[in-house]
Amino acid sequence: DAGITQSPRHKVTETGTPVTLRCHQTENHRYMYWYRQDPGHGLRLIHYSYGVKDTDKGEVSDGYSVSRSKTEDFLLTLESATSSQTSVYFCAISWTGENGNTIYFGEGSWLTVV
Amino acid sequence: TQLLKQSPQFLSIQEGENLTVYCNSSSVFSSLQWYRQEPGEGPVLLVTVVTGGEVKKLKRLTFQFGDARKDSSLHITAAQPGDTGLYLCAGAKWNDMRFGAGTRLTVKP
């Protein structure tokens, strides 16, 4: 258990509304990630953070922003939700050990944009 | 374009059969990981392979990392219904982790 909590777990929202997903970790990990998972595409990286106020874009960052004001919290915001952002969103942390970089995932947030 | 290609995409077999799924790329990775994901949950790490040619065994699961560190395979012996799930491979380059689209395995009793 990597101590990752995502909220909300399920949300339905209307097109054009802003949405914020929260990821909370209890293990003081430096690196945190937001992925989305869609059929046929697997997991794709949206944004990641390598420390407080340090974030960078992933491969599918358009339409998303992130913030990390505290080590334990990483927020993902959809500025104006679109139907193409209907997806399952996973927060993750990474831990570097003797086997290199390992990622641990939260339980996911199911977002439907109608 | 998927950096990591997994095959097959779908696999349906009977309990007791053996199977192999593949993860291929043209890129070299510092490590490669296999995850298993069940419906409604996040992926769970099964194994990490680091050294080219490395073989790791986890009960009935055997994982191999290619000599050139570009590909990997997962072999399951005597599959059981509990092995049903989505199997994902992921390649790491520093802190950039890229995932394949997954192999969805169904093991019928």
Side-chain angles (χ1 to χ4, degrees), chain A residues 59-91:
Chain A
E59 56 184 307
V60 290
S61 59
D62 287 348
Y64 301 94
S65 63
V66 289
S67 65
R68 192 159 177 209
S69 58
K70 299 184 289 184
T71 299
E72 58 266 35
D73 289 325
F74 192 31
L75 304 180
L76 176 70
T77 298
L78 289 65
E79 307 288 350
S80 177
T82 66
S83 58
S84 65
Q85 293 176 311
T86 292
S87 187
V88 184
Y89 292 86
F90 287 98
C91 175

Side-chain angles (χ1 to χ4, degrees), chain B residues 15-36:
Chain B
E15 182 176 1
E17 293 183 4
N18 301 332
L19 67 113
T20 302
V21 298
Y22 301 92
C23 176
N24 295 295
S25 177
S26 57
S27 295
V28 177
F29 297 104
S30 56
S31 67
L32 195 140
Q33 298 171 351
W34 284 93
Y35 293 79
R36 180 167 165 265

Side-chain angles (χ1 to χ4, degrees), chain B residues 81-101:
Chain B
D83 295 328
T84 293
L86 179 67
Y87 289 82
L88 296 159
C89 69
K93 290 187 176 187
W94 297 104
N95 278 295
D96 186 3
M97 185 78 75
R98 296 296 180 101
F99 286 81

Side-chain angles (χ1 to χ4, degrees), chain A residues 10-21:
Chain A
H10 296 87
K11 186 174 182 64
V12 179
T13 192
E14 293 184 349
T15 299
T17 60
V19 176
T20 295
L21 305 180

